[in-house]
Amino acid sequence: MQAMIDLPTNDPGLTVTPEALAHIGRSLSKHKEAPIGVRIGVKKAGCSGYEYVLEYAYAKSQKEHDFAFSLEGITILIDKEIYLKFLKGGTKIDFRKEGLKEGLQFDNPNVEHECGCGESFTLKDE
């Protein structure tokens, strides 16, 4: 997955597995307002400190300071500051199904600890 906006030197970018991309595509196809993809954010929450936030992204919602990753017609928007603080260095997004639980999973090299339920995390550099 390549960025439409230049990433920092030597940053491997974001990887999205085919399974995750298919899951996102299925979700987008069910939505009536024709989103171009998803926006990934991070907020303070949960028992460990931060959690990922995903929402539909539209062409009009893309901002100048976003990194825009595009693959197979799906765009993933991430605010530049969020990317540089939380996701840089080769974060991988995968789709996993474990028992009754299924959804997108982030394999993030910047995470030091995840809570027991896997919903929130802390960073190595904090």
Side-chain angles (χ1 to χ4, degrees):
M1 186 166 270
Q2 298 297 315
M4 291 187 265
I5 299 172
D6 292 334
L7 292 173
T9 304
N10 298 322
D11 188 281
L14 185 70
T15 301
V16 181
T17 67
E19 295 81 10
L21 194 60
H23 175 73
I24 293 168
R26 284 190 301 273
S27 177
L28 296 176
S29 71
K30 295 176 185 176
H31 201 273
K32 296 176 185 173
E33 296 180 33
I36 61 169
V38 294
R39 174 176 291 281
I40 298 173
V42 174
K43 69 177 185 176
K44 280 192 165 258
C47 49
S48 287
Y50 298 103
E51 67 184 22
Y52 300 105
V53 178
L54 283 90
E55 58 188 31
Y56 291 110
Y58 302 89
K60 64 184 179 187
S61 69
Q62 186 170 353
K63 299 175 179 92
E64 189 174 308
H65 58 271
D66 284 338
F67 284 133
F69 299 88
S70 183
L71 184 63
E72 297 182 28
I74 295 175
T75 300
I76 298 176
L77 300 176
I78 306 171
D79 179 276
K80 185 176 182 177
E81 288 184 31
I82 296 290
Y83 181 85
L84 294 174
K85 180 173 181 176
F86 294 98
L87 301 168
K88 69 182 185 288
T91 295
K92 177 181 170 184
I93 301 174
D94 194 9
F95 175 77
R96 296 189 189 135
K97 186 173 182 175
E98 298 169 358
L100 298 176
K101 184 178 177 183
E102 67 177 37
L104 296 177
Q105 299 291 313
F106 290 74
D107 295 323
N108 185 337
N110 304 298
V111 169
E112 181 170 51
H113 175 73
E114 290 182 323
C115 68
C117 64
E119 296 294 320
S120 63
F121 62 92
T122 57
L123 295 175
K124 289 178 183 176
D125 62 0
E126 287 190 345

